[in-house]
Each structure stands twice: as structure tokens, then as C-alpha cells.
Amino acid sequence: MSGESFDWHEFLGRWQREWVPRADRDDDGADIPLGRPGADEAAIAAAEERLGRRLPPSYRAFLSVSDGWYVDETAGVHRLGGVADIDWFGDPYDMSPLYEQDLGDDPREEEVLRAGMWRRALRLETDSDMSHALLDPGDRDQDGEWALYVHKGWSGEAPERYPSFRAYMEAMYRGFHSARVDRPDFVNATTRAQDAGVDRARLLALRGRYEEALPLLEEALSYGRPRSAALLSQIRHLLAPRSCPGYGDLVGDPRYLSEILPVEAVQAVGPAGGARRPGEDDHWLGMMAARGAARHTAEAVLSALREGAHRYAPSGAWGRAVAEAREAARWGATDAAWRTLREALALWEPPGPLLIAPVGLLADPVLGPLVTAERGREILATPRAGERGPAPEPVPDLDPPGLAWLTRPAAHEPFNGYRCLWVEGLDPAALPALIGADDAALTAPTQGRTPAWRALAIRAREGAEPWEDRAVVAVGRTGEGWAFAFDGHSGHRLNQFFLSPAAAASASGRAVVVWRDPRSSSPDRHPAAFHLSVAERGRELYAFTVRGTEVERCGAIPRALDPARLFRPQEAAPEGERRVLEALHTELGLSLPRFALTHGRLHTFTTRSWTRAPRAGEAFAYLGFARHRP
């Protein structure tokens, strides 16, 4: 960034012409001279001889146009001196030792530069609020520019770095605009140009050209222009759907309330669905009220999100697609749900000019998790609200086919042990009646880890027997039409008291049960176990259990599922498990929706025990742990 290629006359003249006091500073005269006549070459050269260094290009060019400047920064530096005022800083407050002691054994280059800056920097300010503008000759770029550091001594913060004097002045000019944005009479060529950029960015965003809209909005935001923050927040939010960008006073506008307030409330609810600290809800409600949202409305939205009852329900064709997608997603068909949303995105209509994308989708408990970063970009790249443009390349489906993915869990898919029941052609809502505990009913769609937390308390529940192994299962429907009940977090081992629920679930058709108990850190003592049972019309057809090298089997097992073929001696247990899962997909059409089980929300219920009561002469033991506070 060379100062010689920058028109300082135009830049500083524009700043002077646009000058008005800030709204909170009525005592500043509107005609205050910000600069002084420029220094001639002889004066600049004399200053360089006194300092023993040639000044960096952009600062040198600035001095030739204005020998100093009234920055009027809100908090910090107020005035920059000219050639007669500048001098070496000399580190009068011994800042160097403070920064050097924090360098550590392997400091970053920027940390080393900052620690050494204090003793070698050139001080520019002549009037400030305990702040310093320091040019560092040791921090240079390829154009010979020196980095400028602003140190606000009262803040306790590290100095802010700018790559050059020109970059600092341009930032101060943008700050000058931002500090006056609330003045109704602050209208000039710059504000008009930035507002026109916001208008253009809005149209670009609606046409799917969000990448072109981004820099326009970011520049307008740096000038503090109205509307830029709200539009930019929507793009940033969809690019990072789990972020919390904030939407300012947009929550208080009735046109946007149904979209924006639930999105803001998601941050208050948190990932676990409960208040994170005492009084935090009241703090959030107070913030929403200060930004214009009625307290009772905010309380209702917050309560609905906590209970999982909130529904994103826009109107029109887009709203009908949202309802259809939610029905698919709540039973596990998340890819199909996304395809429904994708096809209807072009039909989305904003409720007002400050909304450029359906961000309310992110707050829906069932549909929100479907919006990954890739899908967020797909939303932004899709023309909508009647605007035209090329459609983006569709994001690939997220669910792999079949079941083999269960043998390759990633760090965010911690299914060390799992058990599942499938029933052919059944409505998933009928599963609690077949295998549910007494009075079992489907919950609202629940986050993936929540069943594991609930399952921990089942054994301690009043009326539960010590030998019982009730599961909290996620419920859904596969693409092939099987209802499923899945428990991926039980941690229980498949023991001699196991009672397959396949027969009880098969009253109306085939039922299949698979159980792979948790992998053991001591495979010699606790070998991996895998169970398969298949029943039809209330009768078990065949079953087998593999535990290490031992195989128990009954019934006429089809050759494709024969454990003698699938589990081979001297081979790692996961290989046999993988072959069984692949055979179940090929032969019976079984699958499970990975995304819904690991990232989405599904209905759950508590099953009857997967173990039977010990019979006469059978031993049963269990351990219990209790924490006692001193």
C-alpha cells in the first residue's frame, strides 16, 4: 500500500467538507479546521535528519498535504502532530518488559514485533486520552510502510495494529462516519454512495450472488450505515449456522418478529435446552425489551423453544413446503426434507425489505439442525423473492446408504454400542404400543444426546427392578418403509438374560433386532458380542448371537445372513459386524438415517426391558454408586 499512489488532497478535503460534530458533542464547531497547511520538502527532510530515519511513504505523503490532523477519535487519540512535533516514543512506561515476559518459548512473529515496538516506535499524537499513535520502523511491509499501533493506556488491552499510516487514517475516517450516523443532517456524497451500495447488495443477495454482496455490506458496516448490519448478519448466520451474530433492533419490528426473535432466543436456550446460569433468562428478556420486543412475546418464544414446541411457520407456498419438510425430518428423512426445502426456496418472500433470507428456519427445533454450513451457502446462492439468477449446484445428500456406517463412527458419532429394532410397514407412532414401557408415549423431537441422559435415570426410577434394562430409543422411518427404534448410547452388555423384542413387535409383519454391545478395553475378558433376531407374526424365525469365537444360533438362518460365513476366525470383530450390516441392507432393505441420529431431532420413548427377570437358580448382580457430600 504505497502512500504515493493515494490522493491525500482528495481524501483529506472530503473529510474536511463532510465534517460535523458528533450527536453527543454539541460544542464542536462545524467549521473546525481538521488539518494544517502541508509541510514543504525541506521541513520533512529536516525532521527525517533529526530522527535519523526516512519516514514511511504514506505518512510522508500525508505531511506534504497536511502537517497534522484532528482525528477526533471517540476514545483515544484526538490530534496528530506535524513534522515539528513527532519524536521517538522511547518506552517511558516500560511496556517492553511486560510484553517480553509473555513471549514464551515459541512466540509468533507478530508477538515479537509488538514486544519490541515500544523502544523503537515514533510517537505521532499531540493530544489524546492517555493514548498513543506509534509508527514502528521494525514492522515494515514490501512498500516500506511502517505499521501503526494505537495503545489506549486506560484500557488494559494490547495495542491495535494497522498495516500503515494510510490504513489507520482510512479507519479513522470510517469511524468519523460511524460516530455521526445518528445525526439526521449527516448526509453527503459518501453516505449516499454507501447507502446505494447497501441497496445493490440487497438485490445481489436476493439473486443468489451473496459473495458479491458481502464486501459491499462489510464496507457499509464499517461506515456505520443503517441496514448494513441486519443484512450482513443474515449472510454470516447462514454461512455459519451455529453462530450467534445478533440482529439488533430488528427483533422489535413486528414484520420480522416471527423470523428474528426465535433465532435470538436459541442463544438463550443453549444446546441443552435449559437456562445456563441463574438469572440469564431475565437478562436476555431485558435485552430483548430494550431492543423493542414485548416481554410477554419474548417469554412465550423462549418457553416454546425450551419445550421443543416452537414451529417455524411462514405463510404461502414456502410455508407449506416447510410443514412438509418438518413432517419428513421428524421421522428421520432429513435428506428428503432438505430436498423439499431446496425446491421451494425460490418461492420464499420476505416480510419486509430488511430480510433477505429465511433465517427463521434456523430456530426450528426439527429443521434448524438440517441447515449445515454447506446448505446455508446453498440457501444464499439460490435466487428468491421473485429475483432471477442461476440455481446453485445442489449439496449432496448427507446420509450414507444402509447400515455399514455404524462400524465407522466419527468423533461426533459416539455409538460405541447400539441396539435397534425395525418393523416392516409400520407407522413409527405405533411402536410404543408394541414394545413401550407402561404408559409409554412419544416425546417431542429430541436432541441426539438427550435419550442417553434420560436413560441414566431409568434404573433409579420408582418401580424399576434392578435387573431391568429399559432403553430410551429414537424413533423414525427408513426410506424403505421400516419403522425403527434406535438406542445408540446404552452402554449395556448383551448378557444371558437378553430377551429380544422382535417377536412382540412383529404382530403385523416382519421385525428385526440387532444389538452390538459396547467395545471392551479388555476383549479377552469381555469379547465383543453381536446379536441378530428376526420375527414375523409374533414368532421368532431365526436368531444368532456371536460372542468372540462362540456362536449361538436357532431357526433356519438364510445363507446370506449365516454367521459362519460372515464372522471369520482370527479376524477383527468389526469386519464380521460390517458384513452382517451390509447383508441386512442388501437382503432386507434395512437402513438408518445417520444425520438424524447424530445431529437431528427425533421422537423418543422408553421401551420395556430388553432383559428378562432372573429365574430360579440364576444369579444376578449389579453395582450402584452414590455420591456423598461431606
Side-chain angles (χ1 to χ4, degrees):
M1 180 185 291
S2 174
E4 296 179 2
S5 62
F6 184 68
D7 191 340
W8 284 99
H9 282 283
E10 190 281 330
F11 175 67
L12 298 177
R14 174 167 25 104
W15 196 337
Q16 180 68 73
R17 290 191 302 274
E18 293 173 351
W19 171 262
V20 295
R22 296 195 304 270
D24 60 342
R25 295 279 295 278
D26 295 334
D27 56 337
D28 283 349
D31 57 350
I32 182 173
L34 303 181
R36 298 185 295 203
D40 58 26
E41 178 61 26
I44 296 174
E48 292 175 329
E49 183 176 358
R50 171 172 59 86
L51 297 170
R53 296 293 297 265
R54 181 175 176 83
L55 296 172
S58 66
Y59 183 53
R60 208 175 190 280
F62 160 78
L63 290 172
S64 69
V65 175
S66 180
D67 193 24
W69 194 259
Y70 179 52
V71 179
D72 185 39
E73 191 176 351
T74 303
V77 174
H78 303 319
R79 183 172 289 279
L80 301 174
V83 293
D85 307 301
I86 56 177
D87 204 351
W88 298 113
F89 184 56
D91 195 13
Y93 309 112
D94 290 326
M95 301 298 292
S96 296
L98 293 177
Y99 281 81
E100 288 170 351
Q101 70 184 10
D102 293 333
L103 287 179
D105 296 332
D106 187 22
R108 300 191 303 273
E109 181 183 1
E110 57 265 30
E111 293 174 326
V112 174
L113 289 171
R114 187 172 57 196
M117 176 269 298
W118 307 97
R119 294 192 181 105
R120 60 178 181 254
L122 186 67
R123 178 185 58 78
L124 304 187
E125 84 288 343
T126 59
D127 182 20
S128 70
D129 180 11
M130 294 179 60
S131 300
H132 304 284
L134 306 172
L135 272 174
D136 180 12
D139 188 352
R140 301 165 54 115
D141 66 13
Q142 67 273 15
D143 296 321
E145 294 289 355
W146 303 0
L148 188 147
Y149 290 84
V150 174
H151 173 57
K152 298 178 180 179
W154 43 265
S155 71
E157 300 173 352
E160 185 174 3
R161 180 186 182 277
Y162 300 86
S164 67
F165 177 77
R166 171 186 162 184
Y168 167 72
M169 288 292 283
E170 289 179 314
M172 294 307 99
Y173 174 66
R174 293 191 295 269
F176 153 74
H177 268 264
S178 295
R180 289 155 178 79
V181 72
D182 291 332
R183 284 195 57 145
D185 60 339
F186 187 61
V187 179
N188 48 60
T190 301
T191 61
R192 287 190 288 268
Q194 291 301 320
D195 289 343
V198 172
D199 291 336
R200 173 164 171 73
R202 177 181 176 275
L203 281 177
L204 286 169
L206 291 175
R207 291 169 183 168
R209 296 161 61 184
Y210 72 95
E211 291 174 311
E212 298 175 59
L214 263 173
L216 294 172
L217 292 173
E218 288 170 343
E219 182 179 7
L221 182 63
S222 72
Y223 283 85
R225 298 315 301 159
R227 302 181 293 142
S228 60
L231 300 178
L232 187 59
S233 287
Q234 295 167 63
I235 295 177
R236 288 175 173 172
H237 200 174
L238 284 165
L239 291 175
R242 306 301 164 249
S243 63
C244 43
Y247 288 93
D249 294 341
L250 215 59
V251 298
D253 191 318
R255 292 174 295 178
Y256 312 113
L257 186 145
S258 62
E259 293 261 358
I260 300 302
L261 188 57
V263 171
E264 293 273 7
V266 167
Q267 311 308 322
V269 170
R276 289 168 287 177
R277 291 189 297 270
E280 192 161 6
D281 283 1
D282 286 337
H283 176 68
W284 180 83
L285 290 168
M287 288 195 306
M288 294 302 105
R291 287 156 56 182
R295 185 180 178 94
H296 70 278
T297 302
E299 285 178 335
V301 169
L302 192 62
S303 177
L305 279 167
R306 288 205 190 287
E307 297 168 1
H310 172 69
R311 298 290 181 270
Y312 174 56
S315 59
W318 168 244
R320 291 189 292 274
V322 166
E324 181 183 343
R326 184 185 298 108
E327 182 63 21
R330 76 186 183 102
W331 298 116
T334 55
D335 284 334
W338 180 251
R339 290 192 292 271
T340 297
L341 294 174
R342 172 195 292 151
E343 292 169 3
L345 268 172
L347 304 175
W348 175 79
E349 292 287 345
L354 288 183
L355 211 65
I356 54 175
V359 292
L361 190 67
L362 298 172
D364 189 278
V366 174
L367 297 177
L370 274 59
V371 186
T372 62
E374 294 76 15
R375 286 170 170 173
R377 287 194 290 271
E378 188 173 12
I379 290 175
L380 291 170
T382 300
R384 51 202 180 274
E387 297 295 333
R388 296 180 178 275
E393 189 70 22
V395 172
D397 286 350
L398 298 179
D399 279 337
L403 301 167
W405 65 267
L406 286 166
T407 66
R408 301 183 296 270
H412 55 276
E413 299 162 8
F415 297 148
N416 184 32
Y418 59 85
R419 49 188 168 180
C420 187
L421 164 77
W422 292 265
V423 182
E424 190 174 20
L426 186 74
D427 183 344
L431 282 171
L434 295 175
I435 62 168
D438 294 341
D439 301 322
L442 294 179
T443 66
T446 304
Q447 287 178 322
R449 294 294 304 184
T450 305
W453 302 333
R454 288 176 50 211
L456 293 175
I458 289 177
R459 183 164 290 173
R461 185 184 302 159
E462 183 179 354
E465 298 291 343
W467 52 265
E468 286 189 302
D469 177 14
R470 302 182 190 178
V472 178
V473 291
V475 177
R477 181 188 294 110
T478 73
E480 300 81 6
W482 293 73
F484 69 82
F486 180 82
D487 171 21
H489 308 287
S490 72
H492 289 270
R493 295 202 170 276
L494 199 159
N495 59 43
Q496 69 271 29
F497 301 124
F498 168 60
L499 181 64
S500 172
S506 66
S508 61
R510 282 187 300 176
V512 180
V513 167
V514 165
W515 186 344
R516 203 262 286 133
D517 70 5
R519 293 188 178 94
S520 172
S521 58
S522 303
D524 294 336
R525 295 176 53 197
H526 301 290
F530 186 93
H531 171 85
L532 168 69
S533 51
V534 178
E536 187 171 7
R537 302 294 177 182
R539 182 175 64 87
E540 187 174 272
L541 302 179
Y542 54 89
F544 68 76
T545 301
V546 177
R547 186 176 283 104
T549 58
E550 298 179 2
V551 179
E552 299 175 11
R553 54 190 298 158
C554 65
I557 302 174
R559 184 177 184 280
L561 297 172
D562 190 341
R565 292 181 57 254
L566 302 173
F567 291 86
R568 299 167 187 171
Q570 310 304 319
E571 186 179 60
E575 286 303 307
E577 173 193 350
R578 179 184 56 79
R579 280 191 286 268
V580 174
L581 295 178
E582 289 175 346
L584 288 171
H585 175 56
T586 301
E587 299 300 318
L588 301 179
L590 297 184
S591 64
L592 282 172
R594 180 177 67 179
F595 187 86
L597 291 169
T598 56
H599 293 82
R601 295 198 176 201
L602 295 172
H603 298 280
T604 67
F605 72 94
T606 303
T607 71
R608 294 196 287 270
S609 177
W610 288 55
T611 54
R612 59 173 174 77
R615 300 185 181 117
E618 293 181 328
F620 177 82
Y622 67 94
L623 294 175
F625 297 91
R627 177 180 297 176
H628 296 281
R629 294 183 178 178

